[in-house]
Amino acid sequence: MKPTTQAAPRYFALIPAAGVGARMAADGPKQYIDIGGKPMLRHTIDAFLSSALISHTYVVVSAHDGQIDAVVPPGAVTVLRCGGASRLASVQNALRALAGELGEFDWVLVHDAARPGLNAALIAKLIDAVGNDAVGGLLALPVVDTVKRASMAAGANVPAATSSVARDGLWLAQTPQMFRYRLLCDALAAATDASVITDDASAIEAMGFAPRLVEGHPRNLKVTLPADIRIAEMYLAAP
Ligand SMILES: Nc1ccn([C@@H]2O[C@H](COP(=O)(O)OP(=O)(O)OP(=O)(O)O)[C@@H](O)[C@H]2O)c(=O)n1
Ligand SMILES: C[C@](O)(CO)[C@H](O)COP(=O)(O)O
């Protein structure tokens, strides 16, 4: 019997970088803020370029982005100027733009530009853990604090806790979130509400699948608020 040869799996990075960084309240989009001597987005790009597992890296930016060309290393990264009004829309647009380049079984690792602390070891950990999985998965951190559900009473100036949420089984999603191209396209094509589908795994879950959770690292935080910059600087100073 002729031995069957199966093509080696391919892993592609897709970096949504079309946000405006409203919560950072900086002069411009937070993905271009300097951290440790280079723009945040360049740290994120370099994490994928440092991994021998990644076949190619794509960055999706807004159509009128005027800063990306000074950030990406020539030739090593493809810029997709199809960012949308939400992270969901940016990823949907990027996946459509890649229809002619990616095969249905190619793995896509969607990773926030705002998570510059990613490194090759975390990329390898995720791929090793779910690269043979039927669904895919994501880096995440188990919740270590007590979680409160709160409400703001009329006339109050701070919310009040109405209950505590049992933390067993609660995880905080990070990225990359890795799924095969076809499944990810189908899941996101069915997603309409960006306020509900706030990560790629949410769309996969909405199809009834259970993405695997692989423990990430605090260095892989999402740089969202001004105070996050110092934390990112600390981790990026010690790769
Ligand atoms: N329309 C959007 C919104 C967000 N993102 C990207 O999705 C990632 C996570 O989003 P977030 O941290 O919320 O970034 P912003 O949307 O820029 O931040 P904010 O919500 O404070 O405006 C970021 O890398 C961001 O650039 C994107 O590609 N397109
Ligand atoms: C994708 C994500 O980073 C997982 O935690 C998160 O959902 C992004 O949320 P944001 O409001 O778009 O930053």
Side-chain angles (χ1 to χ4, degrees), residues 14-19 41 58-61 87 90-91 110-114 200:
L14 174 59
I15 304 173
L41 175 53
Y58 299 92
V59 182
V60 49
V61 299
R87 182 186 185 280
S90 294
V91 177
V110 186
H111 182 72
D112 300 330
D200 317 288

Side-chain angles (χ1 to χ4, degrees), residues 115 138-145 147 170-175 213 216:
R115 292 183 187 269
L138 60 145
L139 293 180
L141 287 180
V143 169
V144 295
D145 299 314
V147 178
L170 288 187
W171 290 64
L172 298 175
Q174 296 187 334
T175 65
L213 299 176

Side-chain angles (χ1 to χ4, degrees), residues 15-24 30-31 60-61 83-91 111-115 222-224:
I15 304 173
V20 297
R23 289 170 285 181
M24 183 61 71
K30 65 182 179 184
Q31 54 269 32
V60 49
V61 299
S86 64
R87 182 186 185 280
L88 171 61
S90 294
V91 177
H111 182 72
D112 300 330
R115 292 183 187 269
K222 185 161 64 72
V223 178
T224 308

Side-chain angles (χ1 to χ4, degrees), residues 85-173:
S86 64
R87 182 186 185 280
L88 171 61
S90 294
V91 177
Q92 286 171 328
N93 293 348
L95 292 173
R96 269 194 297 273
L98 295 174
E101 296 189 38
L102 300 191
E104 60 183 87
F105 298 111
D106 284 333
W107 288 98
V108 182
L109 285 77
V110 186
H111 182 72
D112 300 330
R115 292 183 187 269
L118 184 69
N119 57 26
L122 285 170
I123 294 168
K125 181 177 184 181
L126 178 61
I127 290 174
D128 291 347
V130 304
N132 292 314
D133 190 80
V135 174
L138 60 145
L139 293 180
L141 287 180
V143 169
V144 295
D145 299 314
T146 295
V147 178
K148 301 292 184 185
R149 186 170 299 285
S151 67
M152 182 73 92
N157 56 7
V158 290
T162 54
S163 64
S164 294
V165 181
R167 80 177 79 151
D168 294 349
L170 288 187
W171 290 64
L172 298 175

